[in-house]
Amino acid sequence: MRKQNTFVFLFILFIAFGLLSPSTSFANSKKSVQATTSGHYILNEDGTVDHYSFKENSTLSLPKKTRLPFKNVRQITTDGYSIDVLQGNDIWTWETSTSQAIARNLNLQDVHSYTGQTILHNDQTVSIYVEEKVYNTREELTDIKQVIPHGDGAYLLKNDHSLWFADFSFIDWVGVTLTKEPIQNVQHLWSTYSGLFVKKTDGTVWQGISVNEDYIGEHQPLKYRQLKDFSNAIDFTSSYNQTIAVKADGSVWRWGYIGEREVNTPERMETPPVISVGLDDRMTIALTKDGDQLYWKSDGSRVLSANKKEILPVKLPTILYKPQFWNASWPSEGKMQVMTTYGEILLLDEYGQTTGKPKVTGCSFRIGAFNHGLVEVCTTNHKTIYGAIGLSDSTGRLIVSPNYRDLTVVTPKLVTYKTSNGRWGLMDLKRKTIFAPSSTIPIEFDGQSLAKVQTTEGKVGFINTSGKWVIPAKYTRGHYFGDGNVFVESKEKYGIMNARGKWVVTPRYEYVHGFGWGMPYKERKTITVTWNRKERLINTQGKELKASIVLNKLGYSIEGSLQHNRILVSKNGKYGFADQNGKIVVTPSYYGATEYSEHRAIVSKMVKGKRYDQMIDTNGKVISKSYQMIGQIAPGGVPFEDAHGKWGYLDLNGKVIVAATYDWVSNLEDGIGLIQNDERYGYIKVK
């Protein structure tokens, strides 16, 4: 043991002073990257070598960098497990498991390059290195310009552009056996896990594939097929399930299995121009033309820059995940939960990364969305057909174990939960009871300071976040309003109460319409009520708006609240819009209409008995084509369905930004949409 330590010390000492190779030996070194099971190794232009290791099962983050004790390195190669280092004419093996260098002591001369068991010399002859022994085959193997190792042999590219396979598995008995490959005019070779890639002198690229992968015996020539559109390729690399190509313009293309998807047609990644790529089953490193290093997960699409120390922005819209999942949640807070076709539960983010894998079996019927940074997770339970529900954070760490019939996060610190008898209660994240389970409905605050509770007798009241009654459960109905107020019904009349349980307006309204038309409760400032058999628009203090009085006098029905200084109205079964003063700005002529959102509204018209949707601005100008259906307006865009039943997205000017190629798309949440094709789900980021 002492002798070995002494050797390692002397080795490092020699390297430090550059005594193992001439100072000019790195002049031909080229920056390159090699991937192994223990991480990625990069040969720098100054002849040094760095090791990059990534955390297991982590989100996309910068790797740990370690400088190896080498200088003046000309070449590094790998078999996937260890790294061979060519320094001058000396070859060292860096054992990744022990972080030690082992000298091969081959006493070589005139070494041009070293790969696997073959040494290519400067005079274009080849020596074979097998089991600590060098075989002098330089007279036999001549005029070689490139060597690619393969098993117990190597592919040899000769100066006459012919390609041969040298089999030296029985070199002690029969020497080297040469077999000519059935391909001519070969210019360059790349060896990858998925096969041999060959560039011909005419620029075309071909892939060599084994005819029979299970065959054991003499070498069988490969079968070659042309790869179209890759005549300008400069690099190929692959893992066991994915292949990456780099073109001369620096563009990166990949195919194979990418996450849950099988990609047969190469798809381009969105990266700065790249010169070299190293790929393993989990992570990819790319070296750019401007000296940056890029990292991305092999199953993801977002790219992390080492120089900028941030994930690079992408041109929007961009596909985060092509439709591939068995089931998927609605996007929320830039996060998603999915179930793969294999039943695995994954947590994803808006950067195309897997952030966590909760340790639950998953329930195909219950894939919850994120709320206040947590997500409902489900595990199968033999005691109930509903499964058991718990809570996880975005890393997959269980915050609340799945022991509940149902639960939902309602504030950053509170959870409403359902017991086995069907009653709902309120607890904190430490499972301390805030309000005993006695409500027949979920106890949800919806951005308000009060939450509605309904007793087993059907009576409604409201509690605060401390679980205390503010409005006692003695009312027939209750609804949220803006500014923290609520509607309650007493003796068939509605009144308005504030967050202290005091009357703002005593019960007098016969009916309350719309309840905000999908707006968050805390943003609802006006609402339509029926009072004395007339529809009136009131504010949160119960005051009727001027526009309401004017419109009632003119005989218009008020159909919505005041949004962007526009009020949805109707007359004789047709819809239009008035302004905040009650003046008609869009004449009622539409079959249907929505309230304004983002200064846009959707209107419907009938053409030959068929309904079509259009988008209009606040002046009533039509800004989109007619579509079979247009969905909910959001800041990032609007879903639409074309005449063929396919869905895409429009921007707020009515321009198509995502072509209608999907079976269905969701409304956008934080600029992200859920997309579906062939009963599989994915996600797209539009804004």
Side-chain angles (χ1 to χ4, degrees):
M1 189 68 180
R2 181 178 300 171
K3 183 177 180 181
Q4 184 181 18
N5 290 338
T6 301
F7 164 77
V8 173
F9 170 77
L10 290 174
F11 163 76
I12 295 174
L13 184 64
F14 283 145
I15 295 295
F17 288 93
L19 298 178
L20 292 179
S21 57
S23 59
T24 57
S25 64
F26 65 88
N28 295 324
S29 64
K30 179 182 179 181
K31 193 168 185 179
S32 62
V33 57
Q34 299 285 341
T36 73
T37 55
S38 66
H40 294 65
Y41 292 81
I42 291 181
L43 171 60
N44 302 307
E45 292 178 350
D46 63 358
T48 58
V49 179
D50 293 322
H51 173 229
Y52 294 83
S53 59
F54 296 88
K55 294 180 180 179
E56 290 287 338
N57 300 322
S58 67
T59 57
L60 187 58
S61 59
L62 293 173
K64 179 182 177 181
K65 173 183 172 182
T66 304
R67 175 63 54 89
L68 270 59
F70 295 102
K71 285 186 176 181
N72 303 336
V73 175
R74 293 197 288 136
Q75 179 191 14
I76 58 173
T77 59
T78 181
D79 59 2
Y81 299 95
S82 60
I83 288 288
D84 285 333
V85 176
L86 177 61
Q87 196 176 44
N89 289 320
D90 298 316
I91 298 171
W92 300 78
T93 295
W94 180 259
E95 292 291 349
T96 58
S97 59
T98 60
S99 297
Q100 288 187 334
I102 300 175
R104 290 305 175 193
N105 297 322
L106 302 182
N107 297 319
L108 300 172
Q109 300 294 326
D110 304 321
V111 177
H112 175 272
S113 60
Y114 169 82
T115 53
Q117 297 171 297
T118 57
I119 300 105
L120 179 61
H121 297 277
N122 290 326
D123 62 358
Q124 296 189 320
T125 60
V126 170
S127 298
I128 308 299
Y129 165 65
V130 179
E131 296 180 354
E132 308 298 326
K133 182 179 179 180
V134 176
Y135 293 83
N136 186 2
T137 55
R138 298 180 67 171
E139 294 184 2
E140 182 179 1
L141 303 178
T142 60
D143 298 321
I144 309 298
K145 61 182 297 186
Q146 190 181 0
V147 179
I148 296 293
H150 179 78
D152 291 328
Y155 290 98
L156 308 179
L157 174 58
K158 305 196 76 171
N159 286 326
D160 62 1
H161 303 295
S162 63
L163 181 61
W164 298 74
F165 182 77
D167 187 343
F168 38 81
S169 54
F170 301 102
I171 193 170
D172 277 329
W173 293 277
V174 297
V176 177
T177 302
L178 291 174
T179 305
K180 190 173 184 179
E181 288 291 304
I183 188 169
Q184 298 177 349
N185 302 319
V186 178
Q187 180 71 29
H188 189 76
L189 306 174
W190 296 274
S191 177
T192 75
Y193 193 98
S194 60
L196 185 71
F197 290 88
V198 175
K199 176 178 280 190
K200 287 189 172 186
T201 53
D202 62 3
T204 59
V205 173
W206 301 68
Q207 183 178 8
I209 303 172
S210 297
V211 178
N212 184 0
E213 294 183 354
D214 297 326
Y215 174 79
I216 299 176
E218 293 182 359
H219 172 74
Q220 288 187 321
L222 301 179
K223 181 179 180 180
Y224 293 87
R225 65 180 181 90
Q226 185 177 356
L227 292 180
K228 296 182 179 180
D229 302 322
F230 281 94
S231 59
N232 58 349
I234 61 172
D235 195 15
F236 286 92
T237 185
S238 73
S239 64
Y240 80 95
N241 61 2
Q242 186 180 136
T243 300
I244 290 182
V246 179
K247 293 186 177 182
D249 61 1
S251 61
V252 177
W253 301 75
R254 64 179 179 174
W255 62 95
Y257 284 93
I258 302 171
E260 290 287 302
R261 297 186 295 125
E262 183 178 5
V263 178
N264 295 315
T265 302
E267 61 180 27
R268 182 173 181 173
M269 292 195 65
E270 195 166 334
T271 67
V274 164
I275 58 174
S276 183
V277 173
L279 166 70
D280 64 20
D281 300 334
R282 193 169 56 89
M283 194 67 68
T284 304
I285 289 185
L287 309 179
T288 70
K289 291 183 177 181
D290 62 3
D292 196 2
Q293 290 175 197
L294 308 177
Y295 315 107
W296 64 84
K297 290 186 131 186
S298 298
D299 61 352
S301 59
R302 299 309 300 271
V303 177
L304 178 64
S305 163
N307 287 353
K308 297 182 179 180
K309 295 181 172 60
E310 63 181 11
I311 293 177
L312 297 178
V314 296
K315 182 180 179 182
L316 299 178
T318 186
I319 302 294
L320 296 178
Y321 303 90
K322 289 189 176 181
Q324 58 188 283
F325 303 115
W326 179 260
N327 202 353
S329 73
W330 283 64
S332 178
E333 302 175 359
K335 304 179 184 70
M336 299 79 76
Q337 178 182 194
V338 300
M339 174 179 278
T340 71
T341 54
Y342 304 104
E344 185 180 21
I345 298 297
L346 303 177
L347 303 179
L348 314 175
D349 69 9
E350 62 180 317
Y351 300 111
Q353 295 188 81
T354 299
T355 63
K357 299 179 181 180
K359 294 182 179 179
V360 295
T361 56
C363 308
S364 60
F365 53 84
R366 180 66 178 266
I367 305 295
F370 276 86
N371 197 14
H372 298 294
L374 300 177
V375 64
E376 305 154 25
V377 292
C378 180
T379 192
T380 52
N381 189 330
H382 68 280
K383 296 181 181 180
T384 172
I385 62 173
Y386 303 104
I389 311 300
L391 291 174
S392 167
D393 65 14
S394 60
T395 69
R397 181 172 63 97
L398 288 177
I399 305 302
V400 176
S401 297
N403 297 320
Y404 296 89
R405 173 81 173 272
D406 204 347
L407 51 74
T408 300
V409 182
V410 293
T411 76
K413 296 181 180 180
L414 295 178
V415 177
T416 183
Y417 64 97
K418 189 177 186 180
T419 59
S420 58
N421 65 358
R423 301 293 179 263
W424 289 83
L426 194 67
M427 66 180 181
D428 63 18
L429 294 177
K430 295 181 179 179
R431 291 182 289 180
K432 177 185 176 182
T433 299
I434 305 300
F435 185 83
S438 56
S439 176
T440 58
I441 60 175
I443 304 172
E444 300 176 302
F445 288 89
D446 293 305
Q448 302 280 76
S449 59
L450 300 181
K452 183 167 65 173
V453 173
Q454 182 172 286
T455 68
T456 54
E457 292 79 23
K459 296 298 182 180
V460 170
F462 290 82
I463 64 172
N464 60 21
T465 55
S466 298
K468 305 299 182 183
W469 288 103
V470 176
I471 300 174
K474 62 179 183 181
Y475 299 98
T476 308
R477 292 182 178 88
H479 304 292
Y480 298 100
F481 198 10
D483 293 337
N485 295 341
V486 297
F487 282 100
V488 293
E489 184 188 34
S490 177
K491 297 179 181 180
E492 298 184 351
K493 298 286 185 179
Y494 285 93
I496 302 175
M497 278 188 168
N498 63 23
R500 298 186 302 276
K502 303 297 182 181
W503 288 109
V504 176
V505 178
T506 55
R508 63 180 180 180
Y509 306 119
E510 293 102 43
Y511 192 71
V512 182
H513 302 260
F515 304 114
W517 299 80
M519 292 182 61
Y521 297 118
K522 61 184 178 181
E523 297 178 11
R524 300 175 183 177
K525 304 301 182 183
T526 62
I527 201 166
T528 305
V529 297
T530 300
W531 182 26
N532 293 334
R533 299 182 181 180
K534 288 187 177 181
E535 294 163 352
R536 305 173 191 268
L537 193 60
I538 64 171
N539 62 20
T540 56
Q541 300 304 307
K543 181 179 179 180
E544 185 176 7
L545 274 62
K546 174 184 175 182
S548 174
I549 298 171
V550 173
L551 291 168
N552 270 296
K553 287 181 178 180
L554 295 175
Y556 290 94
S557 295
I558 300 171
E559 303 290 349
S561 58
L562 179 65
Q563 301 295 331
H564 299 293
N565 291 326
R566 296 292 181 266
I567 304 168
L568 179 63
V569 298
S570 68
K571 196 171 189 177
N572 301 324
K574 301 289 185 177
Y575 291 84
F577 293 90
D579 65 15
Q580 70 273 25
N581 296 313
K583 179 183 177 181
I584 299 299
V585 292
V586 180
T587 303
S589 60
Y590 293 104
Y591 176 78
T594 68
E595 288 187 325
Y596 273 92
S597 176
E598 304 297 324
H599 302 280
R600 300 290 185 264
I602 308 302
V603 295
S604 303
K605 62 180 183 178
M606 297 294 292
V607 179
K608 295 181 180 180
K610 191 170 183 179
R611 172 177 167 166
Y612 292 93
D613 287 351
Q614 295 175 318
M615 193 188 310
I616 63 173
D617 63 16
T618 51
N619 294 318
K621 180 182 177 181
V622 175
I623 59 173
S624 76
K625 294 181 179 179
S626 296
Y627 294 101
Q628 189 162 303
M629 184 177 292
I630 299 179
Q632 181 176 309
I633 298 170
V638 189
F640 76 97
E641 182 185 16
D642 69 7
H644 305 289
K646 291 293 187 179
W647 287 80
Y649 288 97
L650 306 172
D651 66 14
L652 294 182
N653 293 315
K655 180 183 177 182
V656 174
I657 52 175
V658 176
T661 58
Y662 299 102
D663 295 341
W664 172 82
V665 300
S666 74
N667 300 322
L668 293 176
E669 295 288 341
D670 302 316
I672 301 173
L674 179 63
I675 55 179
Q676 182 188 28
N677 258 345
D678 299 325
E679 299 184 351
R680 292 293 183 269
Y681 296 93
Y683 294 95
I684 188 170
K685 188 172 178 63
V686 176
K687 182 178 180 181

